Amino acid sequence: MNAESVTIELPSASIRPWDQLLHDVRELEQQFDTQIALYMQYVRPTHNQPSNDPQCTHLESKLQTILDDLQSVISEMTETVHTNRGSRRVLERHQSMFHDYEREFQRYKQNVRATAKRTELNGAEVERDRMVEERGRIDQAHTDIDMVLENAFAVHGELTQQRSVIGGATAKLVDVSERIPGINMLLGRIRSRKRREKVVLAI
């Protein structure tokens, strides 16, 4: 009597038990929820948390790693369901959550990029305004210097003119002083003649 051959399907060594996969997928989902809550603060950064903070880049990398690991576990769950050793309904629920996580992460990442861009543009605008203000101060300083120089030249011109007038007056005074001895001599002769006339009349 020949023994009937019976084939027993053994679980693949590369696929982990369903309970372990459920544990891993739930843990990864919890990690994602925790990290995405931290990442959300960079969508509208505060003074102490700028969008270009290195911690922001670190969180993005960590979230992407979690999503990659989550996708890998879900792939294992899919293979397990195909071998009738898992729940399709549970798999579909975690697949749906995974797609929501992906969309949420991409949306927040775009918002963070936009916020960083606005911050950069605002910083550039502030720097431009500062440079314009500085340029205005320099131009005003140049204008003030020009006015000082213009006034200095005007004063110099007036002093030069006054010096010329004073020089002319000095020359006239010198000329008059040179002529005074002759005038004094003439006046002396006039007085002598009057005295003589008086003497003649007295005789």
Side-chain angles (χ1 to χ4, degrees):
M1 183 176 179
N2 295 330
E4 185 177 358
S5 176
V6 177
T7 302
I8 300 177
E9 183 178 0
L10 297 175
S12 172
S14 62
I15 299 178
R16 293 176 295 162
W18 180 255
D19 291 343
Q20 180 64 48
L21 294 174
L22 284 178
H23 174 272
D24 290 350
V25 76
R26 288 167 182 164
E27 183 175 354
L28 287 169
E29 288 169 351
Q30 184 177 4
Q31 290 179 17
F32 181 87
D33 289 337
T34 300
Q35 298 302 318
I36 199 67
L38 296 175
Y39 185 65
M40 285 173 61
Q41 67 188 344
Y42 293 99
V43 176
R44 293 180 179 178
T46 63
H47 176 70
N48 296 324
Q49 295 165 331
S51 299
N52 59 353
D53 191 329
Q55 182 65 20
C56 179
T57 304
H58 175 72
L59 280 172
E60 286 184 358
S61 177
K62 194 169 185 177
L63 283 165
Q64 188 59 56
T65 299
I66 292 173
L67 287 175
D68 292 341
D69 292 343
L70 190 57
Q71 186 176 33
S72 178
V73 174
I74 290 176
S75 296
E76 288 187 67
M77 293 175 68
T78 302
E79 294 182 20
T80 302
V81 168
H82 288 166
T83 60
N84 298 320
R85 291 185 289 113
S87 170
R88 180 172 296 277
R89 182 174 298 177
V90 173
L91 170 64
E92 290 175 350
R93 181 170 63 86
H94 286 292
Q95 285 176 329
S96 177
M97 291 177 64
F98 172 74
H99 294 315
D100 288 342
Y101 286 158
E102 277 192 318
R103 287 192 294 269
E104 184 180 17
F105 179 50
Q106 292 302 321
R107 184 173 69 254
Y108 285 146
K109 187 158 65 172
Q110 290 175 358
N111 290 339
V112 167
R113 295 289 186 275
T115 300
K117 186 65 175 178
R118 285 195 300 271
T119 301
E120 181 181 353
L121 290 175
N122 290 338
E125 184 175 353
V126 169
E127 179 65 17
R128 183 190 62 189
D129 292 343
R130 188 192 67 79
M131 293 180 66
V132 170
E133 183 179 354
E134 182 67 21
R135 181 63 184 177
R137 286 197 294 267
I138 293 174
D139 290 343
Q140 183 61 44
H142 288 168
T143 300
D144 294 341
I145 291 173
D146 291 340
M147 290 180 62
V148 171
L149 291 175
E150 183 177 351
N151 291 334
F153 284 128
V155 171
H156 180 268
E158 291 177 1
L159 291 175
T160 301
Q161 184 177 3
Q162 291 177 6
R163 185 173 62 183
S164 177
V165 172
I166 292 173
T170 302
K172 289 180 180 180
L173 289 174
V174 171
D175 183 61
V176 169
S177 64
E178 290 177 350
R179 294 180 182 181
I180 284 176
I183 294 175
N184 290 335
M185 185 180 297
L186 178 60
L187 291 175
R189 289 178 180 178
I190 292 173
R191 285 195 294 271
S192 297
R193 184 175 180 179
K194 286 182 177 181
R195 283 195 301 268
R196 286 196 302 270
E197 290 177 351
K198 288 179 179 181
V199 171
V200 172
L201 292 175
I203 294 173

